[in-house]
Amino acid sequence: MVYRYPEWSEGLHNYNDHIILSLQLCMLLQKSIENHTAVDGVVEVLERTEGVKSPCAIEVLQAYLHFEALTSHNCLSVVMMDLYQKGVFNMAGFEITGLSESSIGEVNAEELWDSVCMGIIRSSLVARRSSDVSTSEDNLKEAATSAVTTLLIPAARKRLTKQRTEECHKAVTRYLVKELHPLSTVDSSWFREMAKMLNPKYQLPSRDQLMNTLMPSWYSVEKNHVIKELLQVSEAAVTCDWWTSFAQDRYLTVTLHFIIKGQMRHKVLRTKPVYDVQADTAVAEQIGGILEEFGVRDKVVAVTVDNGSSMDVAIKKSQFRKLGCFAQILSLAAQKVYFSITVTRWASRIRAVVVWIKRSSTAQTVLREKQQLLNLPQHYLVLDVRTRWGSFYLMIERFAEQYAAIQATITDPQIKQSVERLETLTDDDHQKAEELIRIMKPLYMSSLCVSADKSPTCSQIFPILKKMTANFETQDEDSLFTASLKEKARDDLSACYKMMILGSSYRSRAPWIQGSRTESTQMRFGTECKMLRLQPQQRCQIRRNTNFGMRTEMLRMYLSKTSIQMRQRLTGLEELFEDEDRALKSITEAEKTPIAERVQQEIQLYRSLPAVPTSEDALAWWWRRRDSLPLLSQLSNSYLCIQASSTPRERVFSTAGDTISRERSHILPEQADMQIFLQKNC
């Protein structure tokens, strides 16, 4: 059993049986530390005064801290706190227990100092030789200092680096923009509490900082990236339209579509308010200004918009080629069938039954029971909405599917008396529903195809029209009801097709569309291939002229100017040997295949290729054959970038409606423009 002298006896403090401090020395050390005097200096003074070699300063400091740890204080020792703030707890053998690895320094102060004192007291219970001092100091200094300065410094005293703070600011900005949250979210006490719990060292940006600094800087960077990306584009198409916010402000949104390496890209360029009374002129100017701003004014081959007269006038004033929204054309053709007298009278009886069942909870319960008994799908009935495309077709389709359950529900004794005022549905109604579905399903599916998220291109238009033409051909076995439906749809679709500006000329300009085997078509295709040698601005000016003869003349003029410009840039050596070079070029060009033959060869090669299923990506198909069909592949980008419908701008309008919602109707147009741009492009 080992016995030790008491720590405190007769004015002496025993540290570890080797170092004993007097009370006067302890008070001297206390005052010295309070006055920021190093312990080494005090020890050196003692050695000179007494003429006796003293222990090293670290041992003296440990002994004094042991004295402080055993001293009773009403509050935390000033000396201990001062040493803590300086981060000098680097004595050998010092250890703090009870801290988890995930601790960030926020601990109970009283418990902390109790742990510190206990660590110091325990260090005196270990007997050490004098040779151990330097070794323990070297080995434990780094660990003890790290424990104090890293784990025990309050979180408020530690700040994130500038780079880390900027990264956190960007993350918050991206979250608010991409999730369409209002910028005032950062002012919410609950949001700030959540951020503080995640990282107490991070200070959220203010709303003004988001609006005036963070978002504009992010927008500027992303806009420059888009402009840089568009430098690689030679041909592009546009979809645009205006829309009205909750505050009755009119906005114009312009979206660009282009192809890079066999992939379709979409970029929302700008969303700008329209204040001018002369809306047509204002929209034409704004569209041109937006395209000029992004450097694509002379690269646009066509603009896809709906069939509204206002946008039609604006596009004509901008001198762009317009393509009507094919999805809207198909929808209008279907609406003409659905709202014809023959269909309206018949569908009114079905609609009345559907409305009655959907309004009656009892009828819905009975309908579910009948569905289970008849082993039919547990589907709800669908009620059409006049302003929603395809809703009428879905109502009739669901009626045909659930006809047996509907009839069983209507004739059920529980509710039979309440349906006496409704007209009785017969098997003839069910047969008409089946005929309408068979006739109108291709039209409905076509509308879905050209409105898909993949933004189908105009290459689908003529195959779909051909499919519709075959579908609406009248057959001898057709009933009177079926024949009237086919005739109505065929006539209206033909009328809409004739109104399309790109009608006949588009067929002849697209060699991958069936029916382009005539000599005139090959001449036009040859003209298009020669245009690939011109600048985008020159190609755009030629395409704006719908007259084939004028286009050929403009092409000849531009090609001659190009050759003259190339001749004017001859160097001195080239000019000296101009005659010899001309003779050499004539021989080389004679050996080359003329453009007309190259066109013919590529067309024949294209037609000899096997057909591919509709699931194959047309853009990827052309990209893989850019070496074997160079002219056709390059020319395909001019047409496949054109959108078949204007539904992409409807998706942008959905985002814009969430950005300028009823709760945020006073958002500034510049802020709305930046948020929509970042939300759709990043």
Side-chain angles (χ1 to χ4, degrees), residues 12-27:
L12 297 177
H13 177 75
N14 181 14
Y15 173 51
N16 58 2
D17 291 346
H18 297 284
I19 299 178
I20 301 175
L21 303 180
S22 66
L23 177 60
Q24 293 80 4
L25 179 58
C26 291
M27 300 303 296

mmCIF file with all atom_site columns, all heavy atoms in Angstrom, residues 12-27:
data_model
loop_
_atom_site.group_PDB
_atom_site.id
_atom_site.type_symbol
_atom_site.label_atom_id
_atom_site.label_alt_id
_atom_site.label_comp_id
_atom_site.label_asym_id
_atom_site.label_entity_id
_atom_site.label_seq_id
_atom_site.pdbx_PDB_ins_code
_atom_site.Cartn_x
_atom_site.Cartn_y
_atom_site.Cartn_z
_atom_site.occupancy
_atom_site.B_iso_or_equiv
_atom_site.pdbx_formal_charge
_atom_site.auth_seq_id
_atom_site.auth_comp_id
_atom_site.auth_asym_id
_atom_site.auth_atom_id
_atom_site.pdbx_PDB_model_num
ATOM 1   N N   . LEU A 1 12 ? 2.141  24.181 2.684   1.00 0.00 ? 12 LEU A N   1
ATOM 2   C CA  . LEU A 1 12 ? 2.823  23.538 1.564   1.00 0.00 ? 12 LEU A CA  1
ATOM 3   C C   . LEU A 1 12 ? 1.815  22.729 0.740   1.00 0.00 ? 12 LEU A C   1
ATOM 4   O O   . LEU A 1 12 ? 0.890  22.116 1.292   1.00 0.00 ? 12 LEU A O   1
ATOM 5   C CB  . LEU A 1 12 ? 3.937  22.622 2.077   1.00 0.00 ? 12 LEU A CB  1
ATOM 6   C CG  . LEU A 1 12 ? 5.087  23.286 2.848   1.00 0.00 ? 12 LEU A CG  1
ATOM 7   C CD1 . LEU A 1 12 ? 6.056  22.243 3.348   1.00 0.00 ? 12 LEU A CD1 1
ATOM 8   C CD2 . LEU A 1 12 ? 5.793  24.330 1.983   1.00 0.00 ? 12 LEU A CD2 1
ATOM 9   N N   . HIS A 1 13 ? 2.042  22.721 -0.592  1.00 0.00 ? 13 HIS A N   1
ATOM 10  C CA  . HIS A 1 13 ? 1.181  21.927 -1.489  1.00 0.00 ? 13 HIS A CA  1
ATOM 11  C C   . HIS A 1 13 ? 2.015  20.844 -2.141  1.00 0.00 ? 13 HIS A C   1
ATOM 12  O O   . HIS A 1 13 ? 2.961  21.115 -2.889  1.00 0.00 ? 13 HIS A O   1
ATOM 13  C CB  . HIS A 1 13 ? 0.552  22.820 -2.571  1.00 0.00 ? 13 HIS A CB  1
ATOM 14  C CG  . HIS A 1 13 ? -0.275 22.032 -3.550  1.00 0.00 ? 13 HIS A CG  1
ATOM 15  N ND1 . HIS A 1 13 ? -1.519 21.535 -3.234  1.00 0.00 ? 13 HIS A ND1 1
ATOM 16  C CD2 . HIS A 1 13 ? -0.027 21.635 -4.829  1.00 0.00 ? 13 HIS A CD2 1
ATOM 17  C CE1 . HIS A 1 13 ? -2.017 20.887 -4.263  1.00 0.00 ? 13 HIS A CE1 1
ATOM 18  N NE2 . HIS A 1 13 ? -1.112 20.927 -5.248  1.00 0.00 ? 13 HIS A NE2 1
ATOM 19  N N   . ASN A 1 14 ? 1.684  19.590 -1.815  1.00 0.00 ? 14 ASN A N   1
ATOM 20  C CA  . ASN A 1 14 ? 2.392  18.434 -2.353  1.00 0.00 ? 14 ASN A CA  1
ATOM 21  C C   . ASN A 1 14 ? 1.730  18.010 -3.661  1.00 0.00 ? 14 ASN A C   1
ATOM 22  O O   . ASN A 1 14 ? 0.568  17.593 -3.673  1.00 0.00 ? 14 ASN A O   1
ATOM 23  C CB  . ASN A 1 14 ? 2.357  17.294 -1.334  1.00 0.00 ? 14 ASN A CB  1
ATOM 24  C CG  . ASN A 1 14 ? 3.099  16.069 -1.845  1.00 0.00 ? 14 ASN A CG  1
ATOM 25  O OD1 . ASN A 1 14 ? 3.846  16.138 -2.821  1.00 0.00 ? 14 ASN A OD1 1
ATOM 26  N ND2 . ASN A 1 14 ? 2.904  14.958 -1.155  1.00 0.00 ? 14 ASN A ND2 1
ATOM 27  N N   . TYR A 1 15 ? 2.495  18.057 -4.738  1.00 0.00 ? 15 TYR A N   1
ATOM 28  C CA  . TYR A 1 15 ? 1.935  17.679 -6.051  1.00 0.00 ? 15 TYR A CA  1
ATOM 29  C C   . TYR A 1 15 ? 2.055  16.183 -6.287  1.00 0.00 ? 15 TYR A C   1
ATOM 30  O O   . TYR A 1 15 ? 1.053  15.482 -6.472  1.00 0.00 ? 15 TYR A O   1
ATOM 31  C CB  . TYR A 1 15 ? 2.639  18.464 -7.159  1.00 0.00 ? 15 TYR A CB  1
ATOM 32  C CG  . TYR A 1 15 ? 2.244  18.019 -8.563  1.00 0.00 ? 15 TYR A CG  1
ATOM 33  C CD1 . TYR A 1 15 ? 0.916  17.917 -8.937  1.00 0.00 ? 15 TYR A CD1 1
ATOM 34  C CD2 . TYR A 1 15 ? 3.223  17.679 -9.489  1.00 0.00 ? 15 TYR A CD2 1
ATOM 35  C CE1 . TYR A 1 15 ? 0.556  17.510 -10.206 1.00 0.00 ? 15 TYR A CE1 1
ATOM 36  C CE2 . TYR A 1 15 ? 2.868  17.266 -10.755 1.00 0.00 ? 15 TYR A CE2 1
ATOM 37  C CZ  . TYR A 1 15 ? 1.529  17.167 -11.119 1.00 0.00 ? 15 TYR A CZ  1
ATOM 38  O OH  . TYR A 1 15 ? 1.185  16.755 -12.377 1.00 0.00 ? 15 TYR A OH  1
ATOM 39  N N   . ASN A 1 16 ? 3.276  15.664 -6.273  1.00 0.00 ? 16 ASN A N   1
ATOM 40  C CA  . ASN A 1 16 ? 3.461  14.237 -6.554  1.00 0.00 ? 16 ASN A CA  1
ATOM 41  C C   . ASN A 1 16 ? 4.618  13.640 -5.752  1.00 0.00 ? 16 ASN A C   1
ATOM 42  O O   . ASN A 1 16 ? 5.333  12.763 -6.237  1.00 0.00 ? 16 ASN A O   1
ATOM 43  C CB  . ASN A 1 16 ? 3.692  14.007 -8.043  1.00 0.00 ? 16 ASN A CB  1
ATOM 44  C CG  . ASN A 1 16 ? 4.879  14.766 -8.579  1.00 0.00 ? 16 ASN A CG  1
ATOM 45  O OD1 . ASN A 1 16 ? 5.564  15.454 -7.812  1.00 0.00 ? 16 ASN A OD1 1
ATOM 46  N ND2 . ASN A 1 16 ? 5.133  14.651 -9.872  1.00 0.00 ? 16 ASN A ND2 1
ATOM 47  N N   . ASP A 1 17 ? 4.829  14.177 -4.553  1.00 0.00 ? 17 ASP A N   1
ATOM 48  C CA  . ASP A 1 17 ? 5.909  13.727 -3.679  1.00 0.00 ? 17 ASP A CA  1
ATOM 49  C C   . ASP A 1 17 ? 7.287  14.166 -4.160  1.00 0.00 ? 17 ASP A C   1
ATOM 50  O O   . ASP A 1 17 ? 8.276  13.933 -3.463  1.00 0.00 ? 17 ASP A O   1
ATOM 51  C CB  . ASP A 1 17 ? 5.898  12.204 -3.497  1.00 0.00 ? 17 ASP A CB  1
ATOM 52  C CG  . ASP A 1 17 ? 4.702  11.740 -2.679  1.00 0.00 ? 17 ASP A CG  1
ATOM 53  O OD1 . ASP A 1 17 ? 4.046  12.584 -2.034  1.00 0.00 ? 17 ASP A OD1 1
ATOM 54  O OD2 . ASP A 1 17 ? 4.424  10.526 -2.713  1.00 0.00 ? 17 ASP A OD2 1
ATOM 55  N N   . HIS A 1 18 ? 7.347  14.719 -5.367  1.00 0.00 ? 18 HIS A N   1
ATOM 56  C CA  . HIS A 1 18 ? 8.623  15.202 -5.897  1.00 0.00 ? 18 HIS A CA  1
ATOM 57  C C   . HIS A 1 18 ? 8.653  16.721 -5.970  1.00 0.00 ? 18 HIS A C   1
ATOM 58  O O   . HIS A 1 18 ? 9.706  17.332 -5.813  1.00 0.00 ? 18 HIS A O   1
ATOM 59  C CB  . HIS A 1 18 ? 8.890  14.613 -7.287  1.00 0.00 ? 18 HIS A CB  1
ATOM 60  C CG  . HIS A 1 18 ? 9.024  13.123 -7.303  1.00 0.00 ? 18 HIS A CG  1
ATOM 61  N ND1 . HIS A 1 18 ? 10.163 12.469 -6.868  1.00 0.00 ? 18 HIS A ND1 1
ATOM 62  C CD2 . HIS A 1 18 ? 8.150  12.143 -7.666  1.00 0.00 ? 18 HIS A CD2 1
ATOM 63  C CE1 . HIS A 1 18 ? 9.987  11.162 -6.983  1.00 0.00 ? 18 HIS A CE1 1
ATOM 64  N NE2 . HIS A 1 18 ? 8.761  10.934 -7.462  1.00 0.00 ? 18 HIS A NE2 1
ATOM 65  N N   . ILE A 1 19 ? 7.490  17.300 -6.254  1.00 0.00 ? 19 ILE A N   1
ATOM 66  C CA  . ILE A 1 19 ? 7.391  18.751 -6.362  1.00 0.00 ? 19 ILE A CA  1
ATOM 67  C C   . ILE A 1 19 ? 6.435  19.229 -5.289  1.00 0.00 ? 19 ILE A C   1
ATOM 68  O O   . ILE A 1 19 ? 5.270  18.815 -5.262  1.00 0.00 ? 19 ILE A O   1
ATOM 69  C CB  . ILE A 1 19 ? 6.904  19.181 -7.749  1.00 0.00 ? 19 ILE A CB  1
ATOM 70  C CG1 . ILE A 1 19 ? 7.892  18.713 -8.824  1.00 0.00 ? 19 ILE A CG1 1
ATOM 71  C CG2 . ILE A 1 19 ? 6.733  20.694 -7.814  1.00 0.00 ? 19 ILE A CG2 1
ATOM 72  C CD1 . ILE A 1 19 ? 7.462  19.050 -10.219 1.00 0.00 ? 19 ILE A CD1 1
ATOM 73  N N   . ILE A 1 20 ? 6.949  20.107 -4.404  1.00 0.00 ? 20 ILE A N   1
ATOM 74  C CA  . ILE A 1 20 ? 6.138  20.665 -3.316  1.00 0.00 ? 20 ILE A CA  1
ATOM 75  C C   . ILE A 1 20 ? 6.234  22.180 -3.410  1.00 0.00 ? 20 ILE A C   1
ATOM 76  O O   . ILE A 1 20 ? 7.334  22.746 -3.416  1.00 0.00 ? 20 ILE A O   1
ATOM 77  C CB  . ILE A 1 20 ? 6.628  20.182 -1.942  1.00 0.00 ? 20 ILE A CB  1
ATOM 78  C CG1 . ILE A 1 20 ? 6.562  18.642 -1.869  1.00 0.00 ? 20 ILE A CG1 1
ATOM 79  C CG2 . ILE A 1 20 ? 5.810  20.800 -0.826  1.00 0.00 ? 20 ILE A CG2 1
ATOM 80  C CD1 . ILE A 1 20 ? 7.135  18.070 -0.597  1.00 0.00 ? 20 ILE A CD1 1
ATOM 81  N N   . LEU A 1 21 ? 5.078  22.840 -3.518  1.00 0.00 ? 21 LEU A N   1
ATOM 82  C CA  . LEU A 1 21 ? 5.023  24.287 -3.669  1.00 0.00 ? 21 LEU A CA  1
ATOM 83  C C   . LEU A 1 21 ? 4.558  24.924 -2.374  1.00 0.00 ? 21 LEU A C   1
ATOM 84  O O   . LEU A 1 21 ? 3.638  24.404 -1.709  1.00 0.00 ? 21 LEU A O   1
ATOM 85  C CB  . LEU A 1 21 ? 4.062  24.675 -4.794  1.00 0.00 ? 21 LEU A CB  1
ATOM 86  C CG  . LEU A 1 21 ? 4.329  24.082 -6.179  1.00 0.00 ? 21 LEU A CG  1
ATOM 87  C CD1 . LEU A 1 21 ? 3.281  24.576 -7.164  1.00 0.00 ? 21 LEU A CD1 1
ATOM 88  C CD2 . LEU A 1 21 ? 5.729  24.410 -6.668  1.00 0.00 ? 21 LEU A CD2 1
ATOM 89  N N   . SER A 1 22 ? 5.168  26.052 -2.054  1.00 0.00 ? 22 SER A N   1
ATOM 90  C CA  . SER A 1 22 ? 4.699  26.812 -0.895  1.00 0.00 ? 22 SER A CA  1
ATOM 91  C C   . SER A 1 22 ? 3.506  27.664 -1.291  1.00 0.00 ? 22 SER A C   1
ATOM 92  O O   . SER A 1 22 ? 3.280  27.930 -2.477  1.00 0.00 ? 22 SER A O   1
ATOM 93  C CB  . SER A 1 22 ? 5.827  27.698 -0.360  1.00 0.00 ? 22 SER A CB  1
ATOM 94  O OG  . SER A 1 22 ? 6.152  28.705 -1.322  1.00 0.00 ? 22 SER A OG  1
ATOM 95  N N   . LEU A 1 23 ? 2.760  28.120 -0.275  1.00 0.00 ? 23 LEU A N   1
ATOM 96  C CA  . LEU A 1 23 ? 1.600  28.960 -0.551  1.00 0.00 ? 23 LEU A CA  1
ATOM 97  C C   . LEU A 1 23 ? 2.038  30.264 -1.201  1.00 0.00 ? 23 LEU A C   1
ATOM 98  O O   . LEU A 1 23 ? 1.376  30.760 -2.123  1.00 0.00 ? 23 LEU A O   1
ATOM 99  C CB  . LEU A 1 23 ? 0.845  29.230 0.753   1.00 0.00 ? 23 LEU A CB  1
ATOM 100 C CG  . LEU A 1 23 ? -0.364 30.169 0.635   1.00 0.00 ? 23 LEU A CG  1
ATOM 101 C CD1 . LEU A 1 23 ? -1.402 29.590 -0.336  1.00 0.00 ? 23 LEU A CD1 1
ATOM 102 C CD2 . LEU A 1 23 ? -0.982 30.413 2.012   1.00 0.00 ? 23 LEU A CD2 1
ATOM 103 N N   . GLN A 1 24 ? 3.168  30.829 -0.724  1.00 0.00 ? 24 GLN A N   1
ATOM 104 C CA  . GLN A 1 24 ? 3.640  32.080 -1.302  1.00 0.00 ? 24 GLN A CA  1
ATOM 105 C C   . GLN A 1 24 ? 3.988  31.908 -2.783  1.00 0.00 ? 24 GLN A C   1
ATOM 106 O O   . GLN A 1 24 ? 3.698  32.766 -3.620  1.00 0.00 ? 24 GLN A O   1
ATOM 107 C CB  . GLN A 1 24 ? 4.866  32.597 -0.524  1.00 0.00 ? 24 GLN A CB  1
ATOM 108 C CG  . GLN A 1 24 ? 4.583  33.042 0.890   1.00 0.00 ? 24 GLN A CG  1
ATOM 109 C CD  . GLN A 1 24 ? 4.494  31.871 1.854   1.00 0.00 ? 24 GLN A CD  1
ATOM 110 O OE1 . GLN A 1 24 ? 4.724  30.714 1.461   1.00 0.00 ? 24 GLN A OE1 1
ATOM 111 N NE2 . GLN A 1 24 ? 4.149  32.166 3.115   1.00 0.00 ? 24 GLN A NE2 1
ATOM 112 N N   . LEU A 1 25 ? 4.585  30.741 -3.129  1.00 0.00 ? 25 LEU A N   1
ATOM 113 C CA  . LEU A 1 25 ? 4.931  30.499 -4.534  1.00 0.00 ? 25 LEU A CA  1
ATOM 114 C C   . LEU A 1 25 ? 3.677  30.322 -5.387  1.00 0.00 ? 25 LEU A C   1
ATOM 115 O O   . LEU A 1 25 ? 3.603  30.813 -6.522  1.00 0.00 ? 25 LEU A O   1
ATOM 116 C CB  . LEU A 1 25 ? 5.828  29.264 -4.639  1.00 0.00 ? 25 LEU A CB  1
ATOM 117 C CG  . LEU A 1 25 ? 6.257  28.869 -6.072  1.00 0.00 ? 25 LEU A CG  1
ATOM 118 C CD1 . LEU A 1 25 ? 6.992  30.020 -6.745  1.00 0.00 ? 25 LEU A CD1 1
ATOM 119 C CD2 . LEU A 1 25 ? 7.118  27.613 -6.053  1.00 0.00 ? 25 LEU A CD2 1
ATOM 120 N N   . CYS A 1 26 ? 2.675  29.651 -4.815  1.00 0.00 ? 26 CYS A N   1
ATOM 121 C CA  . CYS A 1 26 ? 1.416  29.488 -5.561  1.00 0.00 ? 26 CYS A CA  1
ATOM 122 C C   . CYS A 1 26 ? 0.770  30.832 -5.833  1.00 0.00 ? 26 CYS A C   1
ATOM 123 O O   . CYS A 1 26 ? 0.267  31.085 -6.941  1.00 0.00 ? 26 CYS A O   1
ATOM 124 C CB  . CYS A 1 26 ? 0.464  28.579 -4.783  1.00 0.00 ? 26 CYS A CB  1
ATOM 125 S SG  . CYS A 1 26 ? 0.983  26.851 -4.702  1.00 0.00 ? 26 CYS A SG  1
ATOM 126 N N   . MET A 1 27 ? 0.754  31.724 -4.852  1.00 0.00 ? 27 MET A N   1
ATOM 127 C CA  . MET A 1 27 ? 0.166  33.044 -5.049  1.00 0.00 ? 27 MET A CA  1
ATOM 128 C C   . MET A 1 27 ? 0.972  33.838 -6.067  1.00 0.00 ? 27 MET A C   1
ATOM 129 O O   . MET A 1 27 ? 0.432  34.603 -6.867  1.00 0.00 ? 27 MET A O   1
ATOM 130 C CB  . MET A 1 27 ? 0.091  33.785 -3.707  1.00 0.00 ? 27 MET A CB  1
ATOM 131 C CG  . MET A 1 27 ? -0.762 33.079 -2.650  1.00 0.00 ? 27 MET A CG  1
ATOM 132 S SD  . MET A 1 27 ? -2.448 32.770 -3.199  1.00 0.00 ? 27 MET A SD  1
ATOM 133 C CE  . MET A 1 27 ? -3.027 34.456 -3.408  1.00 0.00 ? 27 MET A CE  1
#
